[in-house]
Amino acid sequence: MSLDPLLSPLVHLPHLIAVHKVAHRLDVKPQTVRRLIRHKKLPAYRVGARLRVDPRDVDAYLLAHRVNGSNGSSGHGNGGGA
């Protein structure tokens, strides 16, 4: 059975969340999330007039800005900062 070609791209779309939900998760203001998006530090999608974020990108942002522990970097907390 084949999928309708118009619907098949929808199968791969991530579940996107609103800026205010990202802000709540990070315990920051929505303006901070918008600034991260504007400065290309957090990828986002524009859906109409609204910005939406893939939760996996939020996870990746958090891992990249982790101060302690292992994140694939030296683990010393040097060069970080959000």
Side-chain angles (χ1 to χ4, degrees), residues 16-80:
L16 303 175
I17 57 177
V19 167
H20 76 275
K21 290 186 179 182
V22 175
H24 180 76
R25 180 172 175 192
L26 298 178
D27 194 25
V28 298
K29 293 183 179 183
Q31 294 87 340
T32 301
V33 176
R34 288 189 200 94
R35 184 172 49 250
L36 291 171
I37 293 168
R38 187 172 55 251
H39 292 176
K40 301 183 187 304
K41 294 183 179 189
L42 180 64
Y45 300 85
R46 185 164 297 281
V47 181
R50 307 283 182 168
L51 289 169
R52 296 289 186 258
V53 178
D54 185 332
R56 295 173 294 188
D57 290 328
V58 177
D59 293 341
Y61 176 83
L62 288 172
L63 286 173
H65 291 85
R66 188 173 180 171
V67 176
N68 297 323
S70 175
N71 65 355
S73 67
S74 65
H76 297 292
N78 295 339

